[in-house]
Amino acid sequence: MKLHIAVLPGDGIGPEVIAQGVKVLKAIGMCFGHIFTFEYGLIGGAAIDKTGTALPEETLDLCKKVDAILFGAIGEPKYNNDTAAKVRPEQGLLGLRKELDLFANIRPVIAYEDLLNHSPLKKKKIKDANIVIYRELSSGIYYGEKKLSDDGNTASDICAYTRFEIERIAHLAFKAAQSRKGKLTLVDKANVLESSKLWRKVLQELAPLYPEVTLAFLFIDNAAMQLILNPRQFDVILTENMFGDILSEEASVIVGSIGLLASASLGPKYAMFEPIHGAYSKATDKGIANPIAAILATAMLLDHFGLYDEAALVRKAIDKSLQLHITTPDLNTKYDNISTSKVGDFIEDYINNPEETNLNFTNIHLGQSTII
Ligand code: IPM
Ligand code: MG
């Protein structure tokens, strides 16, 4: 298969983790005889520094001509406390989601057996947790009318949803539940918000089309608690933009590190794949950023194009790296010298040579004397 991929590394640790993702895709291309080509674009703070805007026209044009987009991270601490800043890095990502109509953000949350000890939550509670969050991504409070009064003392953000916007992601979430354990939970605040009432009504209307799916409703405050109290009760969670942002970051606690969660952002025409974490600027260029989320994003990309064996191999390589403690310091209790690019090297190596790599990698790259 030929795939032309736009690579948008973005800010902070974005470039270093995305470099590992690209490394892995190149290895997959070589092993399976695919032609993957990569074209780079600027976005976020990196784009503001060079062009004055967070989403340059050139980047948008690039994204519109490729088969898929691989995105790194966005954000720059220097903008965070400047509430008057006219341009902000996040505008790049938000603009891209809107311009490309990437309405469905899919965030799988899987508790890895080898990492159960890394979560602050009790092992027996999180074991076998396997959830996928469908977050609406191109509407709601992020994109509603924003106002600041002339005297600067009153501000508002409108949370608006149309039936069309709810229906299109609801169908995807119902279908996902159909192909999984058959449970869909809508998370809303329908006891207070009009927009949430519409979500609930639309879901109730669609439910008869999916008789094998059990539909449940949960208020966001309760859902935030249930998610860490008993994550195994969930299968597919569907929710609006901001609740999805918050819940998915909370869900990373189940997995043990936010550096492990990837997502796909899909629309009618375009598809983007990204880690869910931010730019973590403090860690930039230190080699400590966990590249697994970025690498998992490439597995989601491969799945999207029906390259299931390829995606499975990437996931197997990730599992192996976790098993052998070839991980960055956020997860590592055994070795203290494994960098972002070393993790990428291991996964690349494993893909090239699944039978033997793990026998030798620790010896060659980590200077260990015993064969694992
Ligand atoms: C995410 C991020 C973004 C969001 C930020 C960077 C705008 O937190 O993808 O979860 O809020 O959607
Ligand atoms: Mg977020």
Side-chain angles (χ1 to χ4, degrees):
M1 183 181 278
K2 271 190 185 168
L3 286 179
H4 189 34
I5 298 166
V7 183
L8 311 181
D11 303 325
I13 60 168
E16 44 198 301
V17 294
I18 279 307
Q20 310 316 310
V22 171
K23 194 184 269 179
V24 166
L25 280 178
K26 284 184 177 160
I28 289 286
M30 289 292 282
C31 286
F32 289 82
H34 301 303
I35 300 171
F36 297 154
T37 47
F38 302 92
E39 204 172 325
Y40 287 74
L42 285 171
I43 195 159
I48 297 175
D49 291 346
K50 294 217 171 82
T51 69
T53 155
L55 178 59
E57 269 313 305
E58 238 186 7
T59 301
L60 193 55
D61 291 345
L62 166 67
C63 292
K64 286 184 176 168
K65 72 170 191 193
V66 295
D67 300 302
I69 305 155
L70 191 60
F71 180 89
I74 213 152
E76 259 294 332
K78 69 178 178 203
Y79 296 95
N80 287 354
N81 291 324
D82 180 2
T83 55
K86 287 271 175 295
V87 282
R88 290 189 54 91
E90 290 79 2
Q91 290 163 349
L93 181 57
L94 299 178
L96 203 56
R97 290 171 177 171
K98 192 70 179 175
E99 290 287 335
L100 303 180
D101 199 14
L102 303 172
F103 68 88
N105 183 229
I106 301 162
R107 300 187 158 185
V109 179
I110 297 162
Y112 291 92
E113 192 63 34
D114 289 298
L115 293 180
L116 294 178
N117 285 328
H118 285 275
S119 172
L121 304 175
K122 287 200 180 76
K123 211 168 157 174
K124 63 173 197 287
K125 293 270 182 192
I126 56 174
K127 190 175 156 44
D128 298 326
N130 187 332
I131 306 168
V132 59
I133 299 175
Y134 275 66
R135 168 190 177 194
E136 200 292 327
L137 200 63
S138 60
S139 187
I141 198 165
Y142 275 49
Y143 293 98
E145 189 189 3
K146 297 179 185 308
K147 272 193 189 159
L148 179 64
S149 64
D150 291 339
D151 65 4
N153 291 329
T154 308
S156 62
D157 300 90
I158 302 277
C159 179
Y161 270 106
T162 64
R163 169 178 288 273
F164 167 75
E165 288 167 338
I166 299 168
E167 277 181 357
R168 61 181 181 170
I169 187 162
H171 282 296
L172 295 183
F174 269 115
K175 284 182 189 137
Q178 240 172 1
S179 69
R180 291 171 48 99
K181 283 179 261 164
K183 183 171 179 196
L184 175 60
T185 306
L186 175 71
V187 172
D188 62 24
K189 189 72 186 173
N191 50 346
V192 178
L193 304 176
E194 277 310 315
S195 54
S196 283
K197 286 182 204 159
L198 182 60
W199 272 86
R200 215 173 254 226
K201 182 165 179 279
V202 171
L203 267 281
Q204 282 163 344
E205 286 169 13
L206 294 183
L209 298 175
Y210 302 92
E212 30 334 40
V213 176
T214 309
L215 178 61
F217 300 101
L218 216 52
F219 296 138
I220 177 66
D221 46 354
N222 189 9
M225 180 177 72
Q226 295 293 336
L227 191 61
I228 46 173
L229 215 51
N230 177 16
R232 272 199 302 266
Q233 70 184 285
F234 296 106
D235 179 20
V236 180
I237 292 177
L238 169 64
T239 191
E240 58 95 75
N241 204 341
M242 190 160 78
F243 295 161
D245 179 43
I246 299 167
L247 272 193
S248 57
E249 188 132 341
E250 185 191 356
S252 73
V253 176
I254 299 167
V255 190
S257 166
I258 189 148
L260 293 166
L261 292 198
S263 78
S265 303
L266 309 178
K269 262 173 103 173
Y270 304 104
M272 180 159 93
F273 302 87
E274 53 180 308
I276 85 155
H277 60 67
Y280 188 22
S281 299
K282 279 192 294 219
T284 308
D285 291 333
K286 294 204 172 117
I288 57 172
N290 192 334
I292 298 291
I295 296 173
L296 267 177
T298 70
M300 293 185 87
L301 182 154
L302 294 165
D303 271 337
H304 180 74
F305 290 98
L307 302 176
Y308 302 119
D309 290 344
E310 291 81 340
L313 182 55
V314 173
R315 292 199 173 95
K316 205 168 155 207
I318 291 173
D319 288 346
K320 202 75 197 177
S321 76
L322 298 176
Q323 241 172 52
L324 296 180
H325 305 274
I326 314 288
T327 60
T328 42
D330 53 324
L331 296 177
N332 216 325
T333 44
K334 192 162 176 190
Y335 308 120
D336 55 13
N337 59 347
I338 299 182
S339 65
T340 308
S341 65
K342 273 273 189 293
V343 176
D345 290 345
F346 172 83
I347 290 172
E348 177 191 34
D349 249 38
Y350 186 89
I351 289 166
N352 288 330
N353 210 343
E355 302 306 322
E356 290 154 38
T357 299
N358 51 83
L359 294 180
N360 293 321
F361 190 90
T362 32
N363 298 5
I364 298 166
H365 294 266
L366 305 179
Q368 303 298 311
S369 56
T370 48
I371 286 181
I372 294 182

